[in-house]
Amino acid sequence: MADPVTLSVVRGALEQITDEMDLHLIRAALSPIISETNDCAHGLYDAETGETIAQGSYGLPLFLASMQWTVQRVIAVAKQQGGFRDGDLWIVNDPYISGTHLNDVVLVKPVFVDGKPFGLFANTGHWMDMGGSVPGGWAPSATEIHQEGIIIPPMKLCDQGRFNDGVLTIIKANVRLPRQLEGDLAAMMNVFTVGARGLDNLIERYGVETLQECIAEILDRSERQMRSYIAEIPDGSYRFEDWFDNDGVEDRPLKVVVTLKVEGDSILMDFTGTEEKARGPMNISDSTAMSMCLVAIKHVFPDVPVNGGAFRPIGFHIPRPSILSAQYPVPVGGTTDVTQRVVDVVFGALAQAIPEQVPAAPFGTTGVLTITGNRPETGGYFVAVYPYPGGYGGSRESDGLVNGTPPGSMARFMSVEMSEHRYPVRFEYLAIREESGGAGEHRGGCGTAYGIEALADCTISILGDRVDYSPFGIGGGGKAQSNQVRLVIDGKEVIPPFRSKAEKLPLHAGDKVRLASPGGGGYGNPRKRDPQAVEADLNNGVISEDQAVSIYGATIAGREVRNGRTFYRLEHLEAAE
């Protein structure tokens, strides 16, 4: 076994290689959803097992483990075709194989050393449009996958170094932004050179045998570390359920249920009882569902390294059919919201076993707004995508994060300046959504509110959730305010029929979209909150006077108006019951 110093250096070097791949793609990509929101991921995988060796830290947690299962499934297909060869490059976006949705395109490239396969590099990049009925791919009323875009099964994009121009030609003929797509593909392909350079230097320094020994030990140590944490969870079964508002086609709630079965140093996550099928796009593949479970676990045990060893102690039972094990041809465009609910229910179940380690529910909806049209000055087509920020749940340690990225995706909100520069839109406001976090000893973080005015004719689609079922609190904490979607069309306020889902609505110059994401759930009894924290929340506009008095038990000792704002002085809090 390698000495501890060598082991530490190798681990750090592998992580640095994948981090550099992340950063190079983020800087080289043409589409803002990669360059602005970091919607990508990179990793190095075992050539035989497909297990994750290292994964970049700048991409999205959504791909934490789903890329491992994607690579494993590509390995199986490659074996049927004679295996990998030096110079090969595989491409896939089939969501039933690669998880997530059609916009997430995965490339897999084998790495050979002295004629033998050493590992596999893989990356995922979100392409802004893959065709389909709705620009951008988020089609709330889709009832089959073909309405969401073009499906790319696992195939060779390069065969022993020879690029398949025909594959790219077919893809470009079926999308709305072919030049941007081609640029993003070139950036994704070039990043493998960065990874190969770093790996070659590491192999030159330590040799293949030592490096493989280190990798095996790194994965084994991660497994032992994860098992040690799980062993501290009391044995037993912990069940939790939550709901989606609807699927965008039928206005009825959809149930998600998980039962965590803890035994010794392993966990089985059983989703028996979950809704069998959504007619609309609120479905995800099993690999995505499993990956989101691991994202939730990583939030609770953050110091366990991200690699295949950490995944080994956790098993899954996801029934088929189920909205968490999508099968052809069901649509999966709602993956960005379905994934959030998987995190929520795992938090809810774990909170029954180890409440001191688990936060309350985060805002729970990515609420993607897509704006499309033609630029007035050039006539060029554009697709603008805005994933929600929102509030995180409170925890034993602290209040929840304000204006956080979705916990499962971490996709960042595009900057106001970039948006107004690229697209014919104007932001009315981008602000903290006051009074939206759940009450608690540690309150939930506030959501985010923003308004966009159209400066030219355009079309919008929205795919969100969490209107009817708010993010929950734990340990006596209160629930957060729910999602809110309002449109102003021809001067009249309009609420979409499905509340947070709307498809291809035409807007004219002066029409507006006003969205407000949920806050996070509260943690613990609000009457136990530090009085000084309550006073600060009140004076910062985070809670209202009514909330301070009725929920937190505060007594108003005085008010003072300064520059048009009221500032409060509190006397005390009533004793907790």
Side-chain angles (χ1 to χ4, degrees):
M1 187 179 67
D3 65 89
V5 173
T6 300
L7 199 64
S8 179
V9 171
V10 167
R11 176 187 158 188
L14 291 169
E15 292 172 350
Q16 182 179 354
I17 289 168
T18 50
D19 280 349
E20 287 183 358
M21 294 174 75
D22 278 349
L23 291 172
H24 273 73
L25 180 58
I26 289 166
R27 291 168 181 167
L30 296 185
S31 61
I33 201 162
I34 296 177
S35 62
E36 285 277 313
T37 71
N38 295 12
D39 198 340
C40 63
H42 295 80
L44 176 63
Y45 303 85
D46 186 274
E48 291 295 324
T49 67
E51 278 194 306
T52 304
I53 295 171
Q55 189 158 325
S57 61
Y58 293 92
L60 304 192
L62 172 64
F63 305 121
L64 175 71
S66 67
M67 283 179 64
Q68 172 173 306
W69 285 298
T70 300
V71 168
Q72 290 172 337
R73 291 166 180 177
V74 171
I75 289 173
V77 175
K79 285 182 177 179
Q80 296 172 2
Q81 300 181 23
F84 293 110
R85 294 180 176 84
D86 198 6
D88 286 353
L89 178 65
W90 287 70
I91 185 171
V92 60
N93 81 332
D94 183 337
Y96 314 114
I97 293 174
S98 59
T100 61
H101 56 167
L102 293 172
N103 297 75
D104 291 331
V105 177
V106 181
L107 302 182
V108 179
K109 184 175 180 60
V111 178
F112 283 78
V113 178
D114 297 330
K116 298 179 181 180
F118 177 84
L120 298 164
F121 277 122
N123 63 9
T124 299
H126 182 116
W127 291 0
M128 288 288 281
D129 184 83
M130 294 303 294
S133 62
V134 174
W138 282 278
S141 65
T143 56
E144 67 170 23
I145 189 70
H146 298 291
Q147 294 168 311
E148 297 179 329
I150 182 172
I151 303 172
I152 308 169
M155 62 173 62
K156 290 182 184 180
L157 185 60
C158 295
D159 188 349
Q160 293 180 269
R162 294 187 299 273
F163 186 80
N164 190 333
D165 292 291
V167 172
L168 180 58
T169 300
I170 291 172
I171 295 172
K172 288 171 60 180
N174 285 275
V175 303
R176 295 175 176 86
L177 301 169
R179 292 183 63 186
Q180 187 182 88
L181 179 153
E182 190 170 10
D184 287 344
L185 174 60
M188 291 174 68
M189 293 174 62
N190 289 337
V191 164
F192 290 123
T193 304
V194 176
R197 182 178 63 224
L199 190 59
D200 287 346
N201 290 338
L202 203 57
I203 291 171
E204 182 179 354
R205 180 176 181 181
Y206 291 106
V208 171
E209 184 176 349
T210 298
L211 200 55
Q212 289 177 330
E213 289 177 358
C214 288
I215 290 170
E217 180 62 18
I218 289 168
L219 267 61
D220 288 345
R221 288 190 177 200
S222 293
E223 179 183 2
R224 292 195 295 271
Q225 187 177 3
M226 180 63 80
R227 289 191 183 279
S228 71
Y229 287 137
I230 294 173
E232 295 175 356
I233 302 174
D235 285 0
S237 293
Y238 307 97
R239 183 182 184 277
F240 193 84
E241 66 181 44
D242 205 344
W243 301 80
F244 293 106
D245 301 339
N246 54 66
D247 66 4
V249 176
E250 295 179 339
D251 197 358
R252 64 178 183 86
L254 306 172
K255 184 164 66 172
V256 180
V257 180
V258 69
T259 302
L260 303 188
K261 301 177 180 178
V262 181
E263 185 174 348
D265 60 2
S266 63
I267 296 178
L268 175 66
M269 298 193 177
D270 186 350
F271 286 90
T272 299
T274 295
E275 199 78 26
E276 288 191 357
K277 182 180 178 182
R279 282 193 62 201
M282 303 296 280
N283 303 280
I284 57 174
S285 69
D286 58 350
S287 63
T288 306
M290 293 187 289
S291 184
M292 295 313 299
C293 292
L294 295 167
V295 168
I297 293 291
K298 189 73 168 64
H299 274 275
V300 178
F301 306 127
D303 56 333
V304 180
V306 176
N307 59 51
F311 309 156
R312 293 171 185 166
I314 302 168
F316 303 93
H317 174 68
I318 304 176
R320 293 187 177 180
S322 162
I323 61 173
L324 304 183
S325 58
Q327 302 293 301
Y328 176 85
V330 302
V332 295
T335 184
T336 46
D337 264 65
V338 181
T339 50
Q340 308 308 318
R341 198 67 75 256
V342 174
V343 172
D344 294 347
V345 296
V346 173
F347 279 174
L350 279 173
Q352 299 171 30
I354 46 173
E356 69 284 353
Q357 294 178 254
V358 181
F363 60 104
T365 174
T366 308
V368 176
L369 166 67
T370 306
I371 306 176
T372 62
N374 296 96
R375 295 178 177 85
E377 65 277 9
T378 64
Y381 195 77
F382 73 88
V383 177
V385 174
Y386 299 93
Y388 254 160
Y392 280 25
S395 68
R396 187 186 69 168
E397 301 297 328
S398 67
D399 296 338
L401 181 67
V402 173
N403 189 47
T405 55
S409 77
M410 302 299 285
R412 300 187 301 176
F413 193 80
M414 194 187 311
S415 70
V416 172
E417 295 81 6
M418 179 64 73
S419 298
E420 294 183 340
H421 173 71
R422 283 178 175 259
Y423 311 119
V425 300
R426 183 182 68 85
F427 271 76
E428 289 187 283
Y429 56 88
L430 175 60
I432 292 174
R433 184 186 181 190
E434 297 178 352
E435 305 172 27
S436 59
E441 180 178 3
H442 290 144
R443 59 165 175 76
C446 288
T448 304
Y450 70 96
I452 295 180
E453 178 182 353
L455 301 181
D457 289 353
C458 60
T459 302
I460 66 161
S461 296
I462 305 171
L463 209 170
D465 205 73
R466 277 294 192 205
V467 175
D468 302 336
Y469 298 91
S470 303
F472 56 84
I474 63 174
K479 64 181 182 180
Q481 284 193 23
S482 60
N483 192 11
Q484 188 178 88
V485 175
R486 300 286 188 271
L487 311 175
V488 179
I489 300 176
D490 295 329
K492 299 178 181 178
E493 186 173 89
V494 177
I495 299 175
F498 286 89
R499 275 97 61 211
S500 62
K501 300 175 179 71
E503 182 171 313
K504 291 193 293 188
L505 297 179
L507 297 187
H508 302 295
D511 291 342
K512 300 170 183 177
V513 183
R514 292 172 175 165
L515 306 179
S517 65
Y523 182 97
N525 186 343
R527 296 297 178 98
K528 294 183 178 180
R529 186 166 177 78
D530 183 341
Q532 291 183 340
V534 177
E535 184 173 280
D537 290 345
L538 183 56
N539 288 325
N540 289 328
V542 175
I543 63 174
S544 67
E545 180 178 340
D546 179 67
Q547 288 175 320
V549 173
S550 63
I551 299 177
Y552 289 96
T555 299
I556 307 297
R559 299 175 180 84
E560 180 183 354
V561 177
R562 298 197 301 268
N563 298 322
R565 285 185 57 192
T566 301
F567 291 86
Y568 298 85
R569 181 167 53 85
L570 303 187
E571 188 172 296
H572 65 278
L573 291 182
E574 294 179 1
E577 295 180 0

mmCIF file of all heavy atoms in Angstrom, residues 239-244 254-258 271-275 323-324 338 341-342 345:
data_model
loop_
_atom_site.group_PDB
_atom_site.id
_atom_site.type_symbol
_atom_site.label_atom_id
_atom_site.label_comp_id
_atom_site.label_asym_id
_atom_site.label_seq_id
_atom_site.Cartn_x
_atom_site.Cartn_y
_atom_site.Cartn_z
ATOM 1 N N ARG A 239 -39.660 6.364 7.414
ATOM 2 C CA ARG A 239 -40.472 6.622 6.220
ATOM 3 C C ARG A 239 -40.878 8.090 6.153
ATOM 4 O O ARG A 239 -41.200 8.704 7.166
ATOM 5 C CB ARG A 239 -41.731 5.746 6.241
ATOM 6 C CG ARG A 239 -42.625 5.856 5.011
ATOM 7 C CD ARG A 239 -43.864 4.981 5.179
ATOM 8 N NE ARG A 239 -44.700 4.979 3.986
ATOM 9 C CZ ARG A 239 -45.608 5.920 3.689
ATOM 10 N NH1 ARG A 239 -45.784 6.944 4.530
ATOM 11 N NH2 ARG A 239 -46.334 5.838 2.598
ATOM 12 N N PHE A 240 -40.871 8.630 4.934
ATOM 13 C CA PHE A 240 -41.306 10.014 4.744
ATOM 14 C C PHE A 240 -41.934 10.142 3.363
ATOM 15 O O PHE A 240 -41.498 9.481 2.411
ATOM 16 C CB PHE A 240 -40.128 10.988 4.870
ATOM 17 C CG PHE A 240 -40.554 12.428 5.004
ATOM 18 C CD1 PHE A 240 -40.910 12.948 6.231
ATOM 19 C CD2 PHE A 240 -40.611 13.253 3.889
ATOM 20 C CE1 PHE A 240 -41.310 14.270 6.358
ATOM 21 C CE2 PHE A 240 -41.001 14.577 4.006
ATOM 22 C CZ PHE A 240 -41.352 15.087 5.250
ATOM 23 N N GLU A 241 -42.958 10.987 3.263
ATOM 24 C CA GLU A 241 -43.592 11.219 1.966
ATOM 25 C C GLU A 241 -43.789 12.715 1.736
ATOM 26 O O GLU A 241 -43.919 13.501 2.673
ATOM 27 C CB GLU A 241 -44.935 10.498 1.859
ATOM 28 C CG GLU A 241 -46.006 11.000 2.797
ATOM 29 C CD GLU A 241 -47.308 10.210 2.645
ATOM 30 O OE1 GLU A 241 -47.256 8.965 2.565
ATOM 31 O OE2 GLU A 241 -48.388 10.854 2.610
ATOM 32 N N ASP A 242 -43.789 13.077 0.480
ATOM 33 C CA ASP A 242 -44.036 14.452 0.067
ATOM 34 C C ASP A 242 -44.750 14.394 -1.278
ATOM 35 O O ASP A 242 -44.947 13.303 -1.846
ATOM 36 C CB ASP A 242 -42.717 15.230 -0.016
ATOM 37 C CG ASP A 242 -42.902 16.735 0.157
ATOM 38 O OD1 ASP A 242 -44.049 17.210 0.039
ATOM 39 O OD2 ASP A 242 -41.906 17.433 0.385
ATOM 40 N N TRP A 243 -45.094 15.562 -1.823
ATOM 41 C CA TRP A 243 -45.962 15.589 -3.002
ATOM 42 C C TRP A 243 -45.491 16.631 -4.012
ATOM 43 O O TRP A 243 -44.937 17.662 -3.644
ATOM 44 C CB TRP A 243 -47.403 15.932 -2.600
ATOM 45 C CG TRP A 243 -48.007 14.970 -1.631
ATOM 46 C CD1 TRP A 243 -47.819 14.931 -0.269
ATOM 47 C CD2 TRP A 243 -48.889 13.882 -1.925
ATOM 48 N NE1 TRP A 243 -48.524 13.904 0.282
ATOM 49 C CE2 TRP A 243 -49.189 13.243 -0.704
ATOM 50 C CE3 TRP A 243 -49.459 13.404 -3.110
ATOM 51 C CZ2 TRP A 243 -50.042 12.143 -0.636
ATOM 52 C CZ3 TRP A 243 -50.305 12.315 -3.038
ATOM 53 C CH2 TRP A 243 -50.586 11.684 -1.817
ATOM 54 N N PHE A 244 -45.739 16.332 -5.282
ATOM 55 C CA PHE A 244 -45.699 17.339 -6.335
ATOM 56 C C PHE A 244 -47.104 17.894 -6.532
ATOM 57 O O PHE A 244 -48.091 17.187 -6.369
ATOM 58 C CB PHE A 244 -45.210 16.739 -7.659
ATOM 59 C CG PHE A 244 -43.782 16.294 -7.632
ATOM 60 C CD1 PHE A 244 -43.454 14.951 -7.593
ATOM 61 C CD2 PHE A 244 -42.760 17.224 -7.657
ATOM 62 C CE1 PHE A 244 -42.141 14.536 -7.567
ATOM 63 C CE2 PHE A 244 -41.433 16.819 -7.628
ATOM 64 C CZ PHE A 244 -41.121 15.474 -7.580
ATOM 65 N N LEU A 254 -48.885 14.274 -7.032
ATOM 66 C CA LEU A 254 -48.118 13.049 -7.236
ATOM 67 C C LEU A 254 -47.283 12.795 -5.986
ATOM 68 O O LEU A 254 -46.561 13.672 -5.519
ATOM 69 C CB LEU A 254 -47.188 13.182 -8.444
ATOM 70 C CG LEU A 254 -47.819 13.609 -9.768
ATOM 71 C CD1 LEU A 254 -46.734 13.890 -10.799
ATOM 72 C CD2 LEU A 254 -48.767 12.536 -10.278
ATOM 73 N N LYS A 255 -47.371 11.580 -5.463
ATOM 74 C CA LYS A 255 -46.704 11.254 -4.202
ATOM 75 C C LYS A 255 -45.309 10.677 -4.430
ATOM 76 O O LYS A 255 -45.086 9.866 -5.329
ATOM 77 C CB LYS A 255 -47.554 10.258 -3.402
ATOM 78 C CG LYS A 255 -46.978 9.922 -2.028
ATOM 79 C CD LYS A 255 -48.002 9.260 -1.125
ATOM 80 C CE LYS A 255 -48.425 7.896 -1.602
ATOM 81 N NZ LYS A 255 -49.278 7.207 -0.606
ATOM 82 N N VAL A 256 -44.368 11.102 -3.572
ATOM 83 C CA VAL A 256 -43.033 10.521 -3.522
ATOM 84 C C VAL A 256 -42.827 9.989 -2.107
ATOM 85 O O VAL A 256 -42.986 10.722 -1.134
ATOM 86 C CB VAL A 256 -41.946 11.549 -3.855
ATOM 87 C CG1 VAL A 256 -40.562 10.903 -3.792
ATOM 88 C CG2 VAL A 256 -42.178 12.161 -5.226
ATOM 89 N N VAL A 257 -42.487 8.710 -1.995
ATOM 90 C CA VAL A 257 -42.319 8.055 -0.694
ATOM 91 C C VAL A 257 -40.957 7.371 -0.643
ATOM 92 O O VAL A 257 -40.551 6.712 -1.602
ATOM 93 C CB VAL A 257 -43.413 6.983 -0.464
ATOM 94 C CG1 VAL A 257 -43.220 6.325 0.897
ATOM 95 C CG2 VAL A 257 -44.796 7.577 -0.574
ATOM 96 N N VAL A 258 -40.264 7.544 0.468
ATOM 97 C CA VAL A 258 -39.032 6.792 0.681
ATOM 98 C C VAL A 258 -39.061 6.188 2.077
ATOM 99 O O VAL A 258 -39.551 6.803 3.028
ATOM 100 C CB VAL A 258 -37.782 7.674 0.509
ATOM 101 C CG1 VAL A 258 -37.659 8.700 1.628
ATOM 102 C CG2 VAL A 258 -36.508 6.816 0.459
ATOM 103 N N PHE A 271 -38.230 3.113 -2.420
ATOM 104 C CA PHE A 271 -39.221 4.093 -2.869
ATOM 105 C C PHE A 271 -40.569 3.450 -3.198
ATOM 106 O O PHE A 271 -41.367 4.024 -3.953
ATOM 107 C CB PHE A 271 -38.679 4.854 -4.074
ATOM 108 C CG PHE A 271 -37.615 5.851 -3.714
ATOM 109 C CD1 PHE A 271 -36.277 5.484 -3.690
ATOM 110 C CD2 PHE A 271 -37.950 7.149 -3.368
ATOM 111 C CE1 PHE A 271 -35.288 6.389 -3.341
ATOM 112 C CE2 PHE A 271 -36.972 8.068 -3.013
ATOM 113 C CZ PHE A 271 -35.639 7.690 -3.000
ATOM 114 N N THR A 272 -40.839 2.295 -2.603
ATOM 115 C CA THR A 272 -42.145 1.658 -2.770
ATOM 116 C C THR A 272 -43.247 2.597 -2.279
ATOM 117 O O THR A 272 -43.147 3.171 -1.191
ATOM 118 C CB THR A 272 -42.196 0.347 -1.985
ATOM 119 O OG1 THR A 272 -41.197 -0.546 -2.489
ATOM 120 C CG2 THR A 272 -43.565 -0.304 -2.103
ATOM 121 N N GLY A 273 -44.307 2.739 -3.070
ATOM 122 C CA GLY A 273 -45.399 3.638 -2.727
ATOM 123 C C GLY A 273 -45.373 4.944 -3.492
ATOM 124 O O GLY A 273 -46.333 5.724 -3.470
ATOM 125 N N THR A 274 -44.261 5.189 -4.209
ATOM 126 C CA THR A 274 -44.154 6.385 -5.031
ATOM 127 C C THR A 274 -45.069 6.262 -6.245
ATOM 128 O O THR A 274 -45.320 5.167 -6.750
ATOM 129 C CB THR A 274 -42.693 6.585 -5.488
ATOM 130 O OG1 THR A 274 -41.891 6.837 -4.341
ATOM 131 C CG2 THR A 274 -42.554 7.729 -6.467
ATOM 132 N N GLU A 275 -45.576 7.397 -6.713
ATOM 133 C CA GLU A 275 -46.475 7.438 -7.872
ATOM 134 C C GLU A 275 -45.878 6.638 -9.034
ATOM 135 O O GLU A 275 -44.693 6.724 -9.340
ATOM 136 C CB GLU A 275 -46.685 8.885 -8.315
ATOM 137 C CG GLU A 275 -47.894 9.105 -9.182
ATOM 138 C CD GLU A 275 -49.183 9.146 -8.368
ATOM 139 O OE1 GLU A 275 -49.127 9.494 -7.179
ATOM 140 O OE2 GLU A 275 -50.245 8.834 -8.936
ATOM 141 N N ILE A 323 -42.365 7.158 -11.175
ATOM 142 C CA ILE A 323 -41.887 8.427 -11.709
ATOM 143 C C ILE A 323 -40.401 8.622 -11.426
ATOM 144 O O ILE A 323 -39.783 9.537 -11.964
ATOM 145 C CB ILE A 323 -42.690 9.623 -11.140
ATOM 146 C CG1 ILE A 323 -42.555 9.716 -9.621
ATOM 147 C CG2 ILE A 323 -44.138 9.559 -11.566
ATOM 148 C CD1 ILE A 323 -43.186 10.970 -9.032
ATOM 149 N N LEU A 324 -39.807 7.726 -10.617
ATOM 150 C CA LEU A 324 -38.377 7.779 -10.324
ATOM 151 C C LEU A 324 -37.585 6.713 -11.073
ATOM 152 O O LEU A 324 -36.394 6.522 -10.819
ATOM 153 C CB LEU A 324 -38.129 7.638 -8.816
ATOM 154 C CG LEU A 324 -38.847 8.639 -7.914
ATOM 155 C CD1 LEU A 324 -38.444 8.429 -6.467
ATOM 156 C CD2 LEU A 324 -38.563 10.081 -8.341
ATOM 157 N N VAL A 338 -38.138 17.253 -10.163
ATOM 158 C CA VAL A 338 -38.301 15.939 -9.518
ATOM 159 C C VAL A 338 -37.082 15.629 -8.660
ATOM 160 O O VAL A 338 -37.197 15.098 -7.547
ATOM 161 C CB VAL A 338 -38.526 14.842 -10.572
ATOM 162 C CG1 VAL A 338 -38.715 13.482 -9.896
ATOM 163 C CG2 VAL A 338 -39.745 15.164 -11.445
ATOM 164 N N ARG A 341 -37.218 17.030 -5.114
ATOM 165 C CA ARG A 341 -38.087 16.359 -4.147
ATOM 166 C C ARG A 341 -37.450 15.090 -3.601
ATOM 167 O O ARG A 341 -37.725 14.691 -2.458
ATOM 168 C CB ARG A 341 -39.454 16.031 -4.785
ATOM 169 C CG ARG A 341 -40.539 15.753 -3.751
ATOM 170 C CD ARG A 341 -40.919 16.999 -2.931
ATOM 171 N NE ARG A 341 -41.730 17.875 -3.783
ATOM 172 C CZ ARG A 341 -41.269 18.981 -4.344
ATOM 173 N NH1 ARG A 341 -40.011 19.378 -4.148
ATOM 174 N NH2 ARG A 341 -42.055 19.718 -5.099
ATOM 175 N N VAL A 342 -36.598 14.443 -4.379
ATOM 176 C CA VAL A 342 -35.875 13.278 -3.866
ATOM 177 C C VAL A 342 -34.994 13.698 -2.690
ATOM 178 O O VAL A 342 -34.953 13.034 -1.650
ATOM 179 C CB VAL A 342 -35.034 12.618 -4.979
ATOM 180 C CG1 VAL A 342 -34.181 11.493 -4.393
ATOM 181 C CG2 VAL A 342 -35.933 12.074 -6.077
ATOM 182 N N VAL A 345 -37.290 14.311 0.463
ATOM 183 C CA VAL A 345 -37.829 13.161 1.204
ATOM 184 C C VAL A 345 -36.718 12.415 1.936
ATOM 185 O O VAL A 345 -36.942 11.865 3.024
ATOM 186 C CB VAL A 345 -38.637 12.213 0.295
ATOM 187 C CG1 VAL A 345 -39.873 12.912 -0.253
ATOM 188 C CG2 VAL A 345 -37.802 11.621 -0.836
#
